Amino acid sequence: DVYTVSMRDPAHNFTVERVYTLVRLHDSPIEATDAAVKRKLNKYGKDVLCDLIALQRADNFGQSPEFRFRQKHFDELEKLIDDVLEKQDCFSVRSLNVNGNDLKELGFSGRKIGNALDFLVEAVIDGKVENSKTALIIFVEENYGKNG
């Protein structure tokens, strides 16, 4: 039938997943801080996060005018996202200045590599370490065993 055929279409599945994600998250508050925006970018990606903010903005317009002050919050979020992306700040494993091969050279293996990379992303987002290869290697050697 037509429904079964349309569900096999990757574009349809993408749209269904995106709409499901946006509906599920649309009431979730997003803190207007650098670290919170970086975490959301890491978790959802730029496209989903921007769509989510657009949905929250539209939802707010549908509310009573007395709640329109929230529009400033969405402006702040959009500015923070633009700033993070423009400065090319680290917010994901891909944007770290170390990779799995660097950690293998330190003796990491298996799942511990991915866990250590996630640990480093969080540390960079929290401002505990700068995103430079030397600083990250020193940081992971000195701190990961205690927390990982």
Side-chain angles (χ1 to χ4, degrees):
D1 68 13
V2 174
Y3 179 76
T4 305
V5 170
S6 69
M7 287 303 290
R8 288 187 209 147
D9 178 12
H12 182 273
N13 285 339
F14 174 80
T15 302
V16 169
E17 286 297 319
R18 174 68 61 90
V19 169
Y20 172 78
T21 299
L22 293 172
V23 169
R24 184 172 49 87
L25 298 173
H26 95 279
D27 279 333
S28 301
I30 303 170
E31 194 178 335
T33 65
D34 197 55
V37 165
K38 288 177 182 179
R39 282 190 174 83
K40 295 294 183 186
L41 282 167
N42 184 24
K43 188 169 185 174
Y44 303 118
K46 175 189 177 260
D47 293 341
V48 170
L49 184 57
C50 289
D51 286 351
L52 179 59
I53 292 168
L55 176 61
Q56 290 178 338
R57 183 184 290 280
D59 186 48
N60 180 246
F61 270 123
Q63 298 171 356
S64 173
E66 67 192 66
F67 295 108
R68 299 273 164 78
F69 66 90
R70 294 180 182 157
Q71 293 297 316
K72 290 180 184 176
H73 176 74
F74 303 125
D75 293 340
E76 290 176 45
L77 290 172
E78 289 170 346
K79 174 142 181 31
L80 283 167
I81 291 168
D82 289 344
D83 289 348
V84 166
L85 296 174
E86 185 178 307
K87 293 187 294 185
Q88 297 182 340
D89 284 350
C90 177
F91 62 84
S92 68
V93 168
R94 281 184 283 167
S95 55
L96 277 174
N97 284 322
V98 294
N99 60 38
N101 290 327
D102 297 318
L103 297 184
K104 281 182 186 177
E105 290 176 13
L106 298 175
F108 287 83
S109 63
R111 289 182 182 213
K112 198 151 186 170
I113 292 172
N115 293 341
L117 290 170
D118 291 339
F119 172 79
L120 288 172
V121 169
E122 287 298 313
V124 171
I125 289 173
D126 289 337
K128 294 178 182 175
V129 63
E130 70 178 70
N131 187 24
S132 74
K133 186 172 183 173
T134 302
L136 291 167
I137 287 173
I138 291 168
F139 188 84
V140 78
E141 287 180 317
E142 292 179 353
N143 296 282
Y144 184 69
K146 299 173 191 166
N147 299 305

